[in-house]
Amino acid sequence: MDSISHLAIGLGLAGLSQIDPIVAADTTTATAVLAGTIIGSQAPDFDTIFKLKGNEIYVRNHRGFSHSLPMLIVWSLLITGGLHLLIPTNHWPHVLLWTAIAVVLHVFTDLFNTYGTQAIRPFSERWISWNIIPIFDPFIFTSHLVAVGIWMFGWIEPTVIFPVLYMILAVYYVWRTLTHRLLIRRLPKLDDEYKPGERYTLIPTVVWSQWNLVKKCKDDVFRVGQLHKNRVVSWTETAACDRHPALEASKKETVVQTFQYFTRYGCATVQPTGYGFVVRWVDVRYRHRKQYPFVAVVMMNAQYETLDTYIGWLSEEKLYKRCGLEPV
């Protein structure tokens, strides 16, 4: 989920905390809880600081250990401890409770999108992404915005509006989850090109009845398209992965190892150049404007010796300029 949505949830949880009699009765505690839910709703994404060390370290670590089981406890205690120094209150267990709820809800909601998290570390480093809710969900954000606005203007008591909000959102998450599972089961029948053994990944968009679609076929081929109105499959592109010695050589580079660590949807192509080859790995889940912007790139000479590497988000235009290629 994006940062602005996490912030909205942090404000929403501050409103929901008014159902706690201790919080509702003490202004200082309520202030500390407000700070705790806002900071807690953002804290797991503080790993964005890894960008300062370069894209490769950032890609490997973002939403990794910072979203793990031990860090749920660490973030909650650190934030509550810091707030206790700044906003002393005799009711710090309540501040800890609501801060922890914000931290846990951040990680939990991140599991529902395509990027995912390593939420079950240290037991496993597997990336968990359920592909049910988009990174930015207009319904979740707008509903929080409306509820917070109603609270600020004093039109409805927070002890009424926020429990109703979160009951509605719980139903929303269940509905989206069941819809996703139903559509995954129906896809082989909806797809006229289906062949036994092919696997589908359904990716949410901001439109409830439209999904992006990736199909893993045989022979290192992906089909990329959309599911319209929850019943019409249309394929827009075929991503065929190359087999080439340059591709195999690229796997020795840490940028490619990091890329493969992060995703199971990698597809590599090899393009000859005047100086040798460019090997481009793309994540086929992230097709945007007819491009695959999340890439790992290895530039090498004719002897498959690496000249330069890159990993991260890069448009086609910038990729061609970086690699000295002509647009194809």
Side-chain angles (χ1 to χ4, degrees):
M1 187 169 287
D2 66 310
S3 297
I4 192 68
S5 297
H6 282 307
L7 174 60
I9 292 174
L11 291 170
L13 289 175
L16 183 65
S17 71
Q18 291 297 303
I19 66 174
D20 183 335
I22 298 297
V23 177
D26 186 78
T27 303
T28 302
T29 302
T31 301
V33 167
L34 172 62
T37 56
I38 290 176
I39 299 171
S41 69
Q42 301 289 331
D45 282 345
F46 289 168
D47 62 3
T48 302
I49 196 172
F50 282 116
K51 279 189 175 181
L52 298 176
K53 293 188 176 182
N55 281 357
E56 183 179 342
I57 294 177
Y58 173 72
V59 170
R60 179 171 283 271
N61 290 283
H62 182 49
R63 291 194 179 182
F65 189 71
S66 68
H67 287 60
S68 66
L69 293 173
M71 288 303 295
L72 298 180
I73 300 172
V74 172
W75 288 125
S76 302
L77 292 175
L78 280 176
I79 296 166
T80 304
L83 289 174
H84 186 59
L85 296 176
L86 298 172
I87 314 174
T89 172
N90 293 326
H91 304 299
W92 66 264
H94 294 262
V95 179
L96 175 61
L97 170 64
W98 288 101
T99 300
I101 291 173
V103 173
V104 170
L105 199 58
H106 175 117
V107 175
F108 180 69
T109 55
D110 277 352
L111 293 172
F112 284 83
N113 60 47
T114 302
Y115 199 102
T117 76
Q118 291 181 313
I120 56 175
R121 287 180 68 172
F123 302 107
S124 171
E125 293 189 12
R126 181 170 65 91
W127 289 91
I128 304 172
S129 53
W130 292 333
N131 301 311
I132 292 168
I133 303 292
I135 294 289
F136 174 79
D137 188 298
F139 179 73
I140 294 173
F141 178 74
T142 303
S143 61
H144 276 87
L145 205 62
V146 170
V148 170
I150 292 173
W151 178 29
M152 290 179 63
F153 284 105
W155 293 336
I156 301 177
E157 289 296 318
T159 52
V160 175
I161 185 64
F162 289 102
V164 170
L165 169 66
Y166 284 104
M167 283 189 288
I168 291 173
L169 289 177
V171 172
Y172 176 69
Y173 269 80
V174 170
W175 169 63
R176 291 286 282 173
T177 300
L178 294 176
T179 299
H180 184 270
R181 291 183 178 180
L182 174 64
L183 292 174
I184 284 288
R185 289 198 296 266
R186 290 178 57 195
L187 276 171
K189 296 180 180 179
L190 297 174
D191 180 15
D192 294 334
E193 301 179 10
Y194 171 73
K195 296 178 182 177
E198 295 178 336
R199 291 176 294 138
Y200 297 93
T201 299
L202 202 56
I203 300 169
T205 71
V206 295
V207 179
W208 290 339
S209 61
Q210 181 166 317
W211 305 71
N212 291 330
L213 188 58
V214 175
K215 179 170 67 170
K216 180 67 170 67
C217 307
K218 296 180 180 179
D219 301 322
D220 297 322
V221 172
F222 291 93
R223 291 282 276 157
V224 181
Q226 291 83 37
L227 176 65
H228 304 277
K229 299 181 180 179
N230 287 347
R231 63 177 183 272
V232 179
V233 172
S234 66
W235 299 111
T236 55
E237 188 168 328
T238 299
C241 313
D242 288 344
R243 295 180 181 179
H244 192 281
L247 186 155
E248 295 303 318
S250 74
K251 294 180 180 179
K252 300 176 183 178
E253 298 300 322
T254 57
V255 292
V256 174
Q257 293 167 6
T258 295
F259 182 86
Q260 293 180 320
Y261 173 75
F262 170 71
T263 180
R264 296 177 287 108
Y265 297 86
C267 185
T269 56
V270 179
Q271 187 170 347
T273 67
Y275 53 80
F277 304 95
V278 170
V279 182
R280 178 174 59 165
W281 292 80
V282 302
D283 190 324
V284 296
R285 294 175 298 174
Y286 299 117
R287 187 173 185 270
H288 178 66
R289 296 181 179 176
K290 301 181 180 180
Q291 300 180 19
Y292 299 100
F294 182 59
V295 299
V297 179
V298 180
M299 290 160 274
M300 57 182 65
N301 61 24
Q303 289 73 46
Y304 310 129
E305 297 170 335
T306 299
L307 303 174
D308 197 8
T309 62
Y310 175 84
I311 186 172
W313 299 86
L314 202 64
S315 67
E316 292 276 358
E317 180 181 356
K318 291 181 179 179
L319 174 65
Y320 292 137
K321 182 180 293 187
R322 186 184 185 95
C323 300
L325 299 173
E326 293 294 328
V328 294

